[in-house]
Each structure stands twice: as structure tokens, then as C-alpha cells.
Amino acid sequence: EEPAAGSTTSEAGATGSAVVAWDTALVRKEPKDGEVVMRLVRGTKVKIVGKRNEWYKIESGSKTGWLYRGAMGL
């Protein structure tokens, strides 16, 4: 369920691509403590589709999830 418009947890628009900088980066269903939906290894290229605070919503293959900014060296 997406947060209501205007709430402090709303997603900001963000686009572009990034490369995983950590040996293994965890991609979560929700930022911070969401369930892990995939693990990406260093060098994996991801597509950025949104942002919430220090977390970026990314697409990798057919999956989407949230990746911490630091894991992409951003």
C-alpha cells in the first residue's frame, strides 16, 4: 500500500542508473526493515525509479525494491 500523497514518507521522483558498490547489497520490499526481496552483487547495474530519504527504489530484471543509497556509492 502506497503512502498517501503529501505524507512525509512519499516517494520523490528519481531516475537514472547506478551500480552496486557493496559485495552484497540487500534489496528490500520497504526501506530500512522491509523483507529482503533480492540480493545484488558488486557491479550489478540497477535502474533507479524513485527515492525516499536515504533509500532508492530500483529495478533489476523483473523485480523492484528498495536499496540503501550507500550500497550504490551515492
Side-chain angles (χ1 to χ4, degrees):
E1 190 175 318
E2 291 298 320
S7 78
T8 54
T9 56
S10 65
E11 284 175 38
T15 56
S17 61
V19 175
V20 175
W22 291 354
D23 285 339
T24 305
L26 300 180
V27 179
R28 298 181 179 274
K29 199 170 181 176
E30 288 296 325
K32 201 169 180 181
D33 49 12
E35 169 193 346
V36 174
V37 292
M38 58 182 158
R39 288 174 167 80
L40 300 176
V41 296
R42 184 194 301 271
T44 304
K45 192 171 181 183
V46 297
K47 181 181 174 190
I48 295 171
V49 295
K51 181 176 189 283
R52 189 188 294 171
N53 302 321
E54 300 287 285
W55 291 77
Y56 284 85
K57 190 172 196 176
I58 59 99
E59 284 180 2
S60 179
S62 60
K63 293 185 174 179
T64 59
W66 292 88
L67 187 58
Y68 181 63
R69 189 181 67 140
M72 298 181 283
L74 296 178

